[in-house]
Amino acid sequence: MRLKDIFDNNRHWVAEKLKTDDQYFSKMARDQDPKLLYIGCSDSRVSTEELMGMAPGEVFVHRNIANMVPNTDLSVMSVIKYAVNILKVQDIVVCGHYNCGGVKAAMESADLGLLNPWLRNIRDVYRLHQNELNKTEDVEQRYRRLVELNVLEQCVNVTKTAVVQRAYKERGLRVHGWVFDIHTGLLKDLNIGFEDILNKVMEIYRID
Ligand code: CO
């Protein structure tokens, strides 16, 4: 892929959109009204809108290495705040994926410099679920399970925020944990039990 090709592709895309609706871009420029906030991994194989069959304007997206929601990360916290309070999304999804390089790196003991503190958040997930993970002897299976548990713990982090707790009370906003299976292309709902998580979280992290 040459960068020049991107501009050719872009012009082709514009022409295709205008063929179906000559107001397509003027309508799009007016506003956005997404109902979903998607927090996923930066991995180039997990193409958010494409795999969900969603069009521009339908999903608000945040991506970083290993779909993390660290409590002190201003970027993801700002995205959540904006999506919930201004855009009024009704659902928040944390979507992980099998074969996640970030999760894999956290399972190994290499020193990755600047990446260490980021990956430490995943190691914290490992520590929280150490008993279960250590019982799983098959490395590949342990890796897959850590991907799922990481999604679960990032959903907990989303639920700890005041904006999310308030929006749940006011309009029933929900948090979901999904995994994208890179081997089959299928999305899997982990059925995280959002209300149970919320109740447990609020025992300690309740805001008002
Ligand atoms: Co990844």
Side-chain angles (χ1 to χ4, degrees):
M1 168 67 71
R2 294 168 308 157
L3 289 184
K4 186 194 162 293
D5 295 339
I6 293 177
F7 285 85
D8 292 341
N9 291 346
N10 170 251
R11 276 188 292 273
H12 178 70
W13 176 72
V14 169
E16 286 297 309
K17 290 291 177 199
L18 292 177
K19 232 190 263 174
T20 51
D21 179 359
D22 60 1
Q23 303 295 307
Y24 186 84
F25 292 100
S26 50
K27 281 184 200 156
M28 196 161 86
R30 253 175 253 149
D31 210 354
Q32 62 167 335
D33 187 25
K35 295 285 172 261
L36 177 70
L37 164 60
Y38 169 101
I39 300 169
C41 183
S42 297
D43 192 302
S44 61
R45 298 164 296 180
V46 189
S47 55
T48 310
E49 284 92 344
E50 191 179 329
L51 74 91
M52 294 193 292
M54 293 178 95
E58 290 185 322
V59 55
F60 199 61
V61 175
H62 181 80
R63 293 171 72 174
N64 60 34
I65 293 175
N67 41 272
M68 302 303 289
V69 184
N71 298 304
T72 51
D73 180 60
L74 266 182
S75 178
V76 70
M77 287 300 146
S78 305
V79 165
I80 293 172
K81 171 98 178 158
Y82 186 79
V84 173
N85 278 10
I86 310 294
L87 298 173
K88 309 273 183 212
V89 296
Q90 195 55 36
D91 294 279
I92 300 177
V93 166
V94 176
C95 186
H97 68 102
Y98 297 128
N99 281 30
C100 182
V103 172
K104 181 152 208 174
M107 281 177 77
E108 291 161 356
S109 48
D111 179 356
L112 296 168
L114 186 63
L115 269 172
N116 289 342
W118 191 260
L119 297 179
R120 210 171 291 140
N121 293 306
I122 310 174
R123 291 177 208 254
D124 289 342
V125 173
Y126 198 111
R127 185 168 53 81
L128 274 172
H129 297 275
Q130 200 168 12
N131 287 344
E132 180 191 334
L133 287 164
N134 283 356
K135 271 187 223 141
T136 312
E137 281 190 18
D138 184 72
V139 181
E140 199 53 35
Q141 220 176 315
R142 204 186 313 150
Y143 177 21
R144 285 170 73 89
R145 188 61 187 143
L146 184 55
V147 165
E148 297 171 359
L149 291 169
N150 185 47
V151 167
L152 172 71
E153 290 303 330
Q154 303 321 311
C155 288
V156 171
N157 285 344
V158 172
T159 309
K160 284 176 195 167
T161 63
V163 274
V164 167
Q165 291 177 21
R166 213 165 282 141
Y168 167 75
K169 272 196 229 159
E170 285 168 9
R171 56 190 163 88
L173 172 130
R174 300 188 72 81
V175 178
H176 314 265
W178 298 351
V179 172
F180 175 66
D181 189 339
I182 228 156
H183 305 94
T184 62
L186 293 172
L187 271 179
K188 177 158 112 185
D189 188 344
L190 296 177
N191 296 310
I192 56 164
F194 171 60
E195 253 121 19
D196 288 348
I197 290 177
L198 188 81
N199 290 334
K200 275 193 206 131
V201 158
M202 286 183 77
E203 268 183 51
I204 300 169
Y205 301 90
R206 122 175 266 141
I207 300 297
D208 54 20

